[in-house]
Amino acid sequence: MTSTLKGITLKGSAELVAEFFSFGINSILYQRGIYPPETFSRVTQYDMSLQLTTDTKLKSYLTNVVSQLKEWLFDCTVQKLVLVITCLETSEVLERWQFDIECDKSAKEISAPREKSIKSIQDEIRSVIRQITATVTFLPLLETACAFDLLVYTDKDLEVPDKWEESGPQIIDQSEEVRLRSFTTSIHKVNSMVTYKRTDSA
Amino acid sequence: TMDIEDDTTVFSTLKSFKSFISLPDTSRNQGEPAPVQSHILQNQYLQRLQLLEAAEKVQSKTQLIQLDQEKRQMEISHKRARIELEKNATLSARDFEREVDRNQDLLGRIRRLEEREAESSQSLSEKAEANRALHRTLESLNRRVEERDGWLNTSNQTVSGLKDEIRDLKQQVQTRDNTISNQTLENQGLQEQVELQHRKYQEVSQRCQALQLASSTCSDHELKIKELERKLALHEQDVVIVKNMRSEVARVPDMDKELRQLREENVYLRETRENVILLKEETEGLRRKVERMEKMKEEMVNVELEKEVCDLFVVLTACCVPCRTPEDLSREVIQIQQREIAVKQHNYTLTSSCRSVERSKADLQGELLSLRSKALEEQKKRETQESLVRRLQKRVLLLTKERDGMRAILESYDSELSSSDYTPQLSRRLREAEDVLTKTQNHNTEMEVWRRSVCVSMELELEVMKKQQDSVAEGNPLATNEEVNTLRLKIEELEGERQRLEEQNNVLELRLERHNLQGDYNPVKTKVLHFSLNPTSMAKQQRVEEVEALRAEVECLRERLRSLQTGGAVPLAAAAGETSLSLPPSQEVLDLRKQMETAELKNQRLKEVFQRKIQEFRTVCYVLTGYQIDITTENQYRLTSVYAEHMDDSLLFKASGGAVGSGGSMQLMETDFSRTLREMVDLHLHHQKSIPAFLSAVTLDLFSRQTTV
């Protein structure tokens, strides 16, 4: 839809960012081996081949979260999206993939589309996803069985929709942080960073 | 009655008419009927006659009735008339009586009136007499009245004279009253004036107080102005210093750039040192060459000089210069060259001086501008101060005028009111006001003096600055150097602080960044949400369920193990019945099961074979030896013969000392049957000590018994 229009509107920007999150989360799940690789299928997006899950339960969960996130992006009430990887045996958090979202609230009042080409945004997103794939090389191995969770940092006064609940930030103690690339649609700016538990062997 | 009469007449006429009509009918019908009809007609005629008589009777009765009624009516009317007449009579009688009474009353009245008349006439006569007497008295009285009138007139005259006097006196009183009222009015006016003056005096005193306050505030303000001006001067100095420092600080980035450049040059120079060394070696080589070349050159130069000298000589000889020898030429050339050098030096000195002068001019211009601006500011200050002074002077004039006016008023009061109680107080207050005025005047004069001094000092400063402007090249005075040093120290301290604060800021920013990366948030503004049915919670639930399932399996397996240990092959069947466990049967288990089955089959077959064989052997033994040997208990054997007479006839042997094969002996036990075979026992067992012989003897015996019997 947005690729045919010339400029970026708030709605278009929200859709782009939500799409990025959907593919980015799938990539992280594939790369970190949270789900077995045979449950992923290859698709082409942003001029690169990405892995997308075929597990129906996971798909439905992701669509629920991403659709709600799209609404919140449109309202500019969401501040961060965090993918938390927890070890099932010890219930401790091993990795945190955090995406900070900075929204230009003036786009809510001024509905004129902004001058930024879709291609440049896609290029930026491509470089971010490539970097995510590259960071996996230096992250510590996840040897135990892990599960993931998606946390959303929103404004305090936001009405909590049903099926959602409040949770803690699930911060890792003794962590190493790495800041990754960011991309911007001129309305939403997304900064990526990964935090992982420091391994004592290092 | 008339109607009744009419009716009756009508009835009677009708009757008569009917009777008349009926007659001709009968007359008509006479011809036809027979004498029967005539009887009928006679009857009818008689009937009609009777009827007519009845009708006449009735008529007469009615007439009678009518007459009776009339009579009664007549009697009633007669009675009525009588009653009325009686009434009228009674009424008239009463009237008559009344009239009679009236008459009598009237007669009585007449008599009384007559009596009264007589009396009145008497009285009249008496009164007439009295009247005459009265007339006489009247006359006497009139005389007295006249006398008294005369007296009255005289008295009236005197009274009028007195009234005139009274009027005069009243007028006098009035005039005096008027004068009194006028005087009271004047008094009131004067009192009001006094009050006005009081008020004015109070106002004046208030104004004096206000003036005092104003003067005090003036003095405060002046002090403040002084302080502010001092601060201003300090500020200006600080501003100047700050400007200088800013300019110096502005140079800092340039200095940084130069530093960087110099560092880069340094690096470059260090890099090129080696090249320099090489180049030096080259230069040494080249120098030697150069020396050789120089020598060559010198020779060349000498040669050329000689050539030039010759040329010059040739030229000069051509130009007719008064010199013949090349020495003179050379001398002249040297002189010319020296002159050239001198001129060039002069030129250089002039240009250098020109440049220095230009530089100084530029500096002076800058300073001129700054000084002009300062002069303007000071002029402005002077102007404001002059305006302040003018205002103060005006105020002073106003106050003096007021004071003069007050003084005049007070003097007027003093002149008017000689002995009043206000003067000492007023004079005291006047004195105080005068003192205040003099003080304010003094203060004003002091202010003017101060202002003048300030102006003078400003002018002096201006002159000093102008002198400074003139003599800028002499350099800065020493006092500013110290200030500059102190300011530099301050700047260094501030820079140190700034660096510290920058470092702290950086550290804090790093911490913030770190916290932000770790995922910290401000709970006042943010909250964290997640989907309730998220994969982690579901995985945890699954885990818990798996753990519970595994525990349940473990329990089942333990129970199986226990049952396996206690039972034998039974649990297999029991396990098959247990449907809770659905372990996938592994290959080993299947093999083992097969092995088990084969082993069981083997066992069973072996058992069958053994059974058969044993059965065979026992039957063979029985058949061949004639004895059935049973093992009753351990080491006890019961033998029953083929030819036994009774079923219970049996011999018991006990193997003592363990099993038979291992060296133990057999002994016969006492039974009922054995008692019957005592002889044989003694013979074969006790004497011959042979059990087979005994047994065979017994069989023979029994056989013999059997066959014979």
Side-chain angles (χ1 to χ4, degrees), chain B residues 122 271 285 312 353 687:
Chain B
Q122 278 179 2
E271 285 172 3
L312 267 171
S353 66
H687 283 287

Side-chain angles (χ1 to χ4, degrees), chain B residues 9-73:
Chain B
T9 51
V10 167
F11 186 69
S12 65
T13 50
L14 269 171
K15 278 266 179 188
S16 63
F17 183 63
K18 273 182 187 173
S19 64
F20 179 69
I21 288 165
S22 63
L23 282 170
D25 282 35
T26 49
S27 67
R28 264 192 230 151
N29 292 326
Q30 267 178 354
E32 288 172 17
V36 179
Q37 277 187 357
S38 63
H39 283 290
I40 294 165
L41 283 167
Q42 269 184 353
N43 288 331
Q44 276 180 3
Y45 181 68
L46 283 168
Q47 278 174 7
R48 276 180 194 152
L49 277 173
Q50 281 171 3
L51 281 169
L52 276 169
E53 283 172 7
E56 281 176 8
K57 280 180 191 173
V58 164
Q59 259 186 0
S60 59
K61 277 182 189 171
T62 54
Q63 275 181 2
L64 269 168
I65 291 160
Q66 276 175 18
L67 286 166
D68 281 327
Q69 278 182 352
E70 279 174 12
K71 190 184 154 192
R72 276 181 218 143
Q73 279 176 3

Side-chain angles (χ1 to χ4, degrees), chain A residues 10 72-78 103-105 108 155 188:
Chain A
L10 179 62
W72 282 336
L73 281 165
F74 185 70
D75 294 331
C76 294
T77 50
V78 60
C103 178
D104 187 359
K105 297 219 170 139
K108 274 182 113 173
D155 293 344
H188 291 103

Side-chain angles (χ1 to χ4, degrees), chain B residues 112-374:
Chain B
R112 277 180 229 144
L113 283 166
E114 281 175 359
E115 284 170 7
R116 275 187 196 165
E117 234 187 295
E119 286 175 9
S120 63
S121 62
Q122 278 179 2
S123 67
L124 252 174
S125 61
E126 287 169 6
K127 278 177 184 173
E129 287 176 9
N131 214 2
R132 281 171 220 152
L134 281 169
H135 272 297
R136 286 172 215 153
T137 56
L138 252 174
E139 283 170 7
S140 63
L141 282 171
N142 279 329
R143 282 174 221 151
R144 280 183 202 168
V145 160
E146 284 171 9
E147 288 170 12
R148 278 187 191 153
D149 280 336
W151 283 341
L152 264 172
N153 287 327
T154 53
S155 63
N156 279 333
Q157 284 169 3
T158 54
V159 159
S160 64
L162 287 168
K163 275 188 185 174
D164 290 333
E165 284 179 18
I166 285 162
R167 257 181 254 147
D168 293 332
L169 285 167
K170 273 188 187 174
Q171 277 176 1
Q172 283 178 9
V173 160
Q174 270 181 4
T175 52
R176 277 186 194 165
D177 283 336
N178 284 332
T179 51
I180 285 161
S181 64
N182 287 331
Q183 278 178 355
T184 51
L185 282 169
E186 283 177 15
N187 217 0
Q188 279 175 6
L190 283 169
Q191 277 181 358
E192 281 169 14
Q193 281 181 8
V194 162
E195 279 173 17
L196 278 170
Q197 292 303 317
H198 266 297
R199 275 178 227 158
K200 278 187 186 173
Y201 176 69
Q202 280 172 3
E203 280 173 20
V204 162
S205 62
Q206 280 172 5
R207 274 187 203 171
C208 283
Q209 282 173 4
L211 261 177
Q212 280 177 358
L213 285 167
S215 64
S216 64
T217 52
C218 247
S219 60
D220 292 333
H221 284 306
E222 277 152 17
L223 287 168
K224 278 182 192 173
I225 287 164
K226 274 190 215 171
E227 284 176 19
L228 286 166
E229 280 173 359
R230 264 180 243 154
K231 278 183 191 173
L232 248 179
L234 286 168
H235 271 300
E236 279 162 16
Q237 287 172 6
D238 288 335
V239 157
V240 164
I241 289 156
V242 161
K243 277 182 196 170
N244 292 334
M245 296 317 297
R246 263 186 210 168
S247 61
E248 281 185 22
V249 164
R251 277 183 232 160
V252 165
D254 298 330
M255 307 269 282
D256 288 332
K257 279 181 200 169
E258 284 181 27
L259 243 179
R260 270 179 240 153
Q261 284 173 6
L262 288 166
R263 276 181 193 160
E264 282 167 15
E265 282 182 26
N266 258 342
V267 163
Y268 178 67
L269 287 166
R270 275 172 206 159
E271 285 172 3
T272 55
R273 243 189 237 171
E274 292 182 7
N275 293 335
V276 161
I277 291 161
L278 286 167
L279 286 167
K280 273 184 188 172
E281 288 177 5
E282 283 185 29
T283 48
E284 278 184 22
L286 286 167
R287 250 184 235 163
R288 283 172 213 152
K289 273 191 194 174
V290 159
E291 283 173 7
R292 276 180 245 148
M293 294 298 289
E294 273 176 8
K295 282 177 197 167
M296 293 276 286
K297 257 194 188 176
E298 281 174 8
E299 286 170 12
M300 280 279 290
V301 160
N302 288 329
V303 163
E304 276 180 10
L305 271 170
E306 285 177 8
K307 187 191 162 199
E308 275 178 14
V309 160
C310 292
D311 289 334
L312 267 171
F313 187 66
V314 164
V315 164
L316 281 169
T317 46
C319 301
C320 305
V321 166
C323 56
R324 296 203 183 135
T325 56
E327 292 170 353
D328 292 331
L329 254 176
S330 61
R331 251 182 267 146
E332 285 191 22
V333 161
I334 287 160
Q335 281 174 12
I336 290 162
Q337 281 178 351
Q338 281 173 353
R339 268 183 241 156
E340 243 192 84
I341 288 158
V343 162
K344 275 185 186 173
Q345 276 180 358
H346 193 65
N347 212 4
Y348 289 144
T349 52
L350 281 170
T351 49
S352 62
S353 66
C354 207
R355 275 178 215 155
S356 66
V357 162
E358 278 173 17
R359 265 181 246 150
S360 62
K361 189 185 160 195
D363 293 334
L364 282 169
Q365 275 181 355
E367 287 197 22
L368 224 188
L369 287 166
S370 65
L371 286 167
R372 270 184 199 164
S373 63
K374 277 183 196 170

